[in-house]
Amino acid sequence: MMKKKIGVAVALLAAVVAVVVLVRTALFTSMQMKAQTPPEILIDAEKAASRLAGAIRFKTISHQDPAKFDGKEFLALHTYLETSFPKLHAALKKETVNGYSLLYTWKGSDPGATPVLLMGHLDVVLVEPGTENAWNYGPFSGDIAEGFIWGRGSLDIKVVVTGAMEAVEYLLGKGFAPRRTIYLAFGHDEEIGGRGGAMKIAALLTSRGVQLEYVLDEGGSITDGVIAGVSAPVALVGIAEKGYLSLDLSATGEGGHSSMPPRETTAGIVCTAVSRLQDTPFSSKFGGVVTQMFRYIGPEMSCGNRIVLSNMWLFGGILKSQLAKSSAMAAVMHTTIAPTMLDGSVKDNILPEKATAVVNFRILPGENSTSVIEHVKKAIDDPRVSIQPLGYVDEPSSVSDIDSWAFNSLQTVISQLFPRVVVSPYLVLGITDSRNYASISRQVLRFTPTLLKADDLARIHGTNERISVLNYEQCVKFFAQLIMSSNG
């Protein structure tokens, strides 16, 4: 009798769970906007491509070593932009910030309308020595061939600098006048932290009491075939970014000849510390940006995926274990640990008096550098290991509101110009210049309308960086439409 009652209870519970699962799946509806026809924007794609190509030819490279900085290249690029976009430079106020960064102000007609700011950066990363011959076209050639514009900056991120300027030049030619003020901010050192560029521009605007409706920087793009389970391209709009921290782990002790080593050498102590740390990863978490991303992408997936993603209360453990198999998805769910540098003896038979390891952490929103250091101390559990921050520390950003006018405006423009694309919020794993503007804008978004397939991801900071002429034309139209829609 008892077994029968238990069986009935289990059956009832299973039925209730099944009903809840089905109801939640049915309510898991699409978050995508119905595509609207945008106004006609006619861009001379060939001339626009040639202007981006010209900007690529300036070797505005950021180096970690300040002695290698070539300011002449940046100033020459300034001059090139001025001659390439005459209407913009006649109508907008131009300011050079800290010698090499640029800030443009397009004054709006309504002083009560909160301004918006579009960002990019003038600098690019260097080409890894020895890889120059692997490029189909020279990395600073700016060649236009095979339907593409080739070279450093075509994806990261002179495409935004000239794309936004091209859009302003077009709108000025059409007699458009903004209702709200538009700022264009182009830093010169984003690739090495943005301390001299974006940070100075943000400080200047702060000193003037400027508050921004939203900031748009790089960070996300339109990926095709990258997000598993979604057949359509996905426009990833960064609404937050992880923090950045590097820790120096060091141990000191007796040096001497390696033929008479102590039981534990300084190098061994540090290696053990790194091993213990890697064996104690940060816990993976759902919630926040990850949940919001699944809410936008999930309804566009197959029925099975929709059932799982709409019922994470039931399937969360299974989902988490599956996502952890992907480095990219695992990084979205937890603070990452990446040992990057080791240093010890100067010779193979000499015991180092000091050994060090550098470990880089990308910090999940909701955690901070203090909690990371505490985790590291507990994991290593060895007082002989000194733990010190190395270089600058960036805490995780705040999370922008997906229900805000800013996000909705951006989603609308993406849907207009790329009607097949699924728009989704996401967490930026790296850091961008936009973090410097958090104090003057609550809505900081990170998106560039570049179209990237899986094999294109390696082109960013890699070999054969390029953008198609068609995609660049779409980028210009995107910025023109965004400016117009922000002033409706």
Side-chain angles (χ1 to χ4, degrees):
M1 189 69 177
M2 180 61 68
K3 289 183 179 181
K4 185 176 180 181
K5 288 183 178 180
I6 293 174
V8 171
V10 170
L12 287 173
L13 179 60
V16 170
V17 169
V19 170
V20 171
V21 167
L22 291 174
V23 169
R24 290 179 65 90
T25 303
L27 295 175
F28 198 56
T29 53
S30 179
M31 301 294 288
Q32 303 307 306
M33 292 183 172
K34 185 178 180 180
Q36 303 171 359
T37 303
E40 188 175 53
I41 301 173
L42 299 176
I43 302 297
D44 189 327
E46 289 187 9
K47 288 185 177 179
S50 68
R51 283 187 280 267
L52 171 56
I56 288 170
R57 296 184 185 115
F58 295 92
K59 297 181 179 179
T60 51
I61 301 170
S62 276
H63 297 274
Q64 291 295 338
D65 182 358
K68 295 181 179 179
F69 177 78
D70 190 351
K72 292 180 181 178
E73 289 289 317
F74 286 84
L75 296 179
L77 176 57
H78 291 187
T79 301
Y80 172 80
L81 294 175
E82 191 161 346
T83 57
S84 298
F85 302 103
K87 294 185 180 70
L88 181 152
H89 283 84
L92 277 63
K93 177 184 176 183
K94 171 189 171 183
E95 297 176 85
T96 303
V97 181
N98 199 22
Y100 303 101
S101 293
L102 295 173
L103 174 65
Y104 293 91
T105 305
W106 195 1
K107 194 72 174 176
S109 60
D110 182 359
T114 311
V116 300
L117 184 143
L118 307 180
M119 295 179 60
H121 57 86
L122 306 173
D123 61 321
V124 298
V125 298
L126 56 79
V127 176
E128 184 178 349
T131 66
E132 294 87 351
N133 291 335
W135 287 70
N136 294 357
Y137 302 89
F140 293 99
S141 66
D143 283 341
I144 302 175
E146 303 177 42
F148 294 91
I149 309 158
W150 298 79
R152 274 285 180 262
S154 57
L155 290 176
D156 187 10
I157 192 115
K158 286 179 180 177
V159 59
V160 166
V161 175
T162 60
M165 297 180 85
E166 199 79 51
V168 172
E169 190 83 358
Y170 168 83
L171 292 173
L172 286 168
K174 295 297 181 181
F176 176 82
R179 181 177 64 85
R180 69 173 75 241
T181 295
I182 307 291
Y183 291 105
L184 306 179
F186 306 132
H188 71 274
D189 63 344
E190 190 273 346
E191 298 293 0
I192 54 172
R195 263 56 186 173
M199 182 176 286
K200 298 294 184 182
I201 297 173
L204 177 63
L205 294 175
T206 300
S207 71
R208 295 172 178 172
V210 172
Q211 287 292 314
L212 301 168
E213 186 66 41
Y214 70 81
V215 171
L216 179 64
D217 194 11
E218 63 177 323
S221 59
I222 301 174
T223 60
D224 189 359
V226 175
I227 305 298
V230 184
S231 59
V234 180
L236 296 171
V237 179
I239 60 171
E241 60 186 53
K242 299 180 85 172
Y244 184 101
L245 170 69
S246 285
L247 293 179
D248 181 286
L249 313 181
S250 65
T252 57
E254 290 187 19
H257 201 283
S258 64
S259 63
M260 297 177 290
R263 182 175 166 280
E264 289 184 279
T265 68
T266 56
I269 291 170
V270 168
C271 287
T272 298
V274 172
S275 179
R276 287 178 179 174
L277 182 55
Q278 287 196 297
D279 288 340
T280 317
F282 289 81
S283 60
S284 296
K285 301 175 182 177
F286 283 136
V289 181
V290 177
T291 299
Q292 292 173 327
M293 179 178 176
F294 289 151
R295 180 65 188 90
Y296 275 72
I297 292 178
E300 314 309 318
M301 292 182 164
S302 65
C303 180
N305 285 327
R306 291 201 305 273
I307 290 172
V308 171
L309 291 173
S310 60
N311 291 278
M312 285 193 284
W313 61 277
L314 181 60
F315 302 113
I318 297 172
L319 179 62
K320 191 180 293 185
S321 66
Q322 290 299 310
L323 294 175
K325 296 178 182 179
S326 162
S327 296
M329 290 309 301
V332 171
M333 296 188 295
H334 72 125
T335 294
T336 54
I337 302 171
T340 55
M341 302 172 70
L342 296 169
D343 187 38
S345 177
V346 296
K347 200 170 184 293
D348 65 332
N349 64 347
I350 297 176
L351 299 174
E353 293 186 7
K354 182 178 182 179
T356 63
V358 174
V359 183
N360 181 252
F361 302 83
R362 300 304 174 102
I363 310 170
L364 194 71
E367 298 172 355
N368 55 50
S369 59
T370 299
S371 64
V372 169
I373 292 172
E374 287 303 313
H375 176 96
V376 171
K377 289 179 178 179
K378 185 176 180 180
I380 293 175
D381 192 25
D382 189 341
R384 296 173 299 175
V385 179
S386 170
I387 302 169
Q388 298 295 330
L390 179 69
Y392 61 83
V393 177
D394 278 305
E395 302 295 349
S397 75
S398 58
V399 180
S400 296
D401 184 4
I402 59 174
D403 293 322
S404 66
W405 172 79
F407 185 88
N408 289 332
S409 295
L410 183 57
Q411 184 178 5
T412 298
V413 172
I414 296 171
S415 298
Q416 287 176 321
L417 295 176
F418 305 93
R420 288 186 53 250
V421 165
V422 173
V423 180
S424 173
Y426 99 116
L427 176 65
V428 178
L429 302 182
I431 57 174
T432 69
D433 269 347
S434 66
R435 67 193 182 282
N436 294 293
Y437 294 87
S439 64
I440 57 176
S441 180
R442 296 177 60 187
Q443 306 304 328
V444 178
L445 303 173
R446 304 157 183 88
F447 174 76
T448 306
T450 47
L451 301 170
L452 302 177
K453 293 183 179 293
D455 61 351
D456 290 321
L457 298 178
R459 299 180 191 275
I460 303 172
H461 288 197
T463 299
N464 283 327
E465 185 177 347
R466 68 184 189 183
I467 186 171
S468 73
V469 173
L470 174 60
N471 188 194
Y472 183 56
E473 180 184 2
Q474 292 170 311
C475 287
V476 175
K477 290 182 178 181
F478 166 84
F479 285 114
Q481 179 61 16
L482 183 66
I483 290 171
M484 288 189 290
S485 67
S486 295
N487 283 273

